[in-house]
Amino acid sequence: LWGKHTWHTRGYREMLGHIDEDQQEAFDRSFKKALKVKTRDLWQHECRYKDPDGNGKTLLFRSIITRDDLGNAVRMTGSVQDISDRARLQQDLDKQREETHRAELRSQFIAQERERNRLAIELHDHINPLLAGASLHVDIAEQDPANRESYLLQTRSLIYECMQEIKKVSHHLSHHFLR
C-alpha cells in the first residue's frame, strides 16, 4: 500500500495523522470502541487517507480482534485495502443520481407550470365569461320584471354551461393526478 513500508512498522499515532483531519476523531472512536467491546471480534472502517507521498486515497481497514479468556483484546490482525476507485465510482454514481433527480424535478415543475397555465387560461377564457354573463342576466332580470323568467332561463343555461366546463377541467385534472 505504501510501497516503502509495511503496515506493522507504522505506529498508530503516525498512521492516524495521515487520515483526513475531519475523519480522525471518527476513526479513533471506532477503533477504540472495537477494542473496548469485549464481545466484538471484527472491526471495519472506511476513511480518506494521505500516503507518505501526499496522495489522497480512500482506504478500508478490516481487522480480526483476538481476545483472551476475559475478553480483552490481545492481538489485532487485519488488512488495509485501497478502495479509491470504488469510492470514486460511488461518488460518480451518487452525482449522476442527484443530477437525474434534479432533472426529474425540473421536468415535474415545468409540467406543473404548464398545467397551471392551461387551467388559468381555461378559467379566464371559458368559465369566467359564462359566470359574468350569468351575473349580468341576473342583474337585468332584477331590473326588468316583465322579462324576468326569460333572463332566469338564460342564466340557468349559462350556469349549466359553466358547470359543464368545470366538469371538463376537473376531469382533465383528475386524469393527470391518476397517471
Side-chain angles (χ1 to χ4, degrees):
L1 180 64
W2 290 278
K4 302 173 190 163
H5 306 283
T6 58
W7 176 249
H8 70 274
T9 60
R10 293 210 170 268
Y12 180 75
R13 292 256 179 249
E14 182 184 351
M15 184 268 313
L16 190 61
H18 286 279
I19 293 174
D20 280 4
E21 279 187 31
D22 63 330
Q23 296 186 350
Q24 286 178 8
E25 186 178 325
F27 182 93
D28 192 47
R29 197 172 37 246
S30 169
F31 182 78
K32 288 178 179 174
K33 182 179 178 184
L35 295 177
K36 186 176 180 181
V37 177
K38 296 184 181 239
T39 57
R40 191 169 175 188
D41 58 353
L42 297 174
W43 175 69
Q44 177 172 303
H45 192 87
E46 183 178 315
C47 64
R48 289 184 314 272
Y49 188 92
K50 289 216 185 286
D51 68 15
D53 296 328
N55 300 315
K57 300 175 183 255
T58 301
L59 302 180
L60 177 62
F61 291 79
R62 290 184 182 159
S63 295
I64 298 172
I65 303 166
T66 306
R67 299 187 179 277
D68 63 17
D69 293 339
L70 299 174
N72 299 315
V74 292
R75 183 183 185 122
M76 195 170 203
T77 308
S79 65
V80 180
Q81 181 180 4
D82 183 349
I83 58 168
S84 300
D85 290 339
R86 185 186 82 184
R88 200 171 9 269
L89 289 173
Q90 185 63 48
Q91 286 176 338
D92 291 347
L93 181 60
D94 291 346
K95 183 178 177 183
Q96 185 178 23
R97 283 181 180 154
E98 180 66 28
E99 288 171 0
T100 301
H101 180 68
R102 284 186 181 149
E104 288 171 354
L105 289 177
R106 272 192 300 276
S107 295
Q108 288 174 359
F109 178 76
I110 290 168
Q112 289 171 348
E113 277 299 306
R114 284 185 189 141
E115 184 60 22
R116 278 192 280 276
N117 288 336
R118 192 199 64 74
L119 181 58
I121 290 169
E122 187 73 29
L123 290 171
H124 183 269
D125 293 351
H126 298 286
I127 296 172
N128 192 43
L130 293 172
L131 290 173
S135 176
L136 184 62
H137 279 83
V138 169
D139 289 345
I140 294 172
E142 288 174 344
Q143 295 173 7
D144 187 1
N147 294 315
R148 179 175 289 163
E149 286 299 317
S150 172
Y151 286 116
L152 290 177
L153 282 173
Q154 290 175 11
T155 301
R156 183 174 285 129
S157 175
L158 288 170
I159 290 172
Y160 179 77
E161 213 177 317
C162 185
M163 289 168 50
Q164 294 305 314
E165 287 293 323
I166 290 172
K167 186 176 180 181
K168 285 181 197 175
V169 169
S170 298
H171 178 71
H172 183 76
L173 285 175
S174 66
H175 177 70
H176 283 300
F177 287 125
L178 291 175
R179 277 198 260 172

